[in-house]
Amino acid sequence: MTRLLTIGEVAEVHMAVHPFAAARRVCELGKWSTVTNLALQKILYLSHMIYMGRTRGQRLIDAQFQAWDYGPVEPNLYQKVMVFGDRPIQDIFFSAPYIPISPEREVLDEACAHLLHKRPGELVAMTHWEPGAWAKNYRPGVMGIVIPDRDIVAEYDARNSTK
């Protein structure tokens, strides 16, 4: 049975971010001039992994990543921005809400500070890490394989144990 909070109790509310809202934030930080579909997918996945690792499994992005040829991909976001090809994504996230100042936004901002300057090949190499979640689940030519949350958290743990 769920207990109602009483006056004076404080509850930390976690709300996973819609992928389009997260995409808007990343592209804004990239000044709408540097973030391609490939880069966006990798930056969001790595941000998601960091958040999940730090919170022991709470999702940053309200969606599931799949193991595609070029790394982790959120399919609905891919469909939305694929029209840009390898060009920078422009603001097509008109209905996506802005992310308020929150732990979720802080992780996105932190990840962007480290990742926005990376070349696409560097980002692919990061997400194709051999002991990582993508590599454990990727099957060449097979679409729709979801990368399980437990594997994403395990990747975070493995990356941090090697430091």
Side-chain angles (χ1 to χ4, degrees), residues 32-48:
W32 299 104
S33 64
T34 61
V35 181
T36 63
N37 189 358
L38 187 140
L40 177 62
Q41 296 288 342
K42 306 314 157 238
I43 290 169
L44 287 181
Y45 172 77
L46 292 165
S47 301
H48 186 69

Side-chain angles (χ1 to χ4, degrees), residues 37-116:
N37 189 358
L38 187 140
L40 177 62
Q41 296 288 342
K42 306 314 157 238
I43 290 169
L44 287 181
Y45 172 77
L46 292 165
S47 301
H48 186 69
M49 178 187 57
I50 292 165
Y51 190 84
M52 287 190 77
R54 289 180 182 172
T55 62
R56 306 314 307 153
Q58 291 182 15
R59 308 179 117 254
L60 171 65
I61 308 296
D62 187 19
Q64 294 184 308
F65 287 87
Q66 296 180 2
W68 288 22
D69 288 341
Y70 291 99
V73 171
E74 197 292 303
N76 294 318
L77 179 59
Y78 177 86
Q79 291 298 319
K80 177 108 173 141
V81 300
M82 71 183 213
V83 298
F84 295 103
D86 63 354
R87 296 178 322 276
I89 297 166
Q90 300 305 301
D91 190 1
I92 58 170
F93 306 108
F94 308 114
S95 63
Y98 284 93
I99 303 170
I101 295 173
S102 62
E104 293 81 9
R105 183 168 138 177
E106 289 173 12
V107 167
L108 275 173
D109 291 0
E110 176 187 342
C112 285
H114 294 287
L115 300 171
L116 279 172

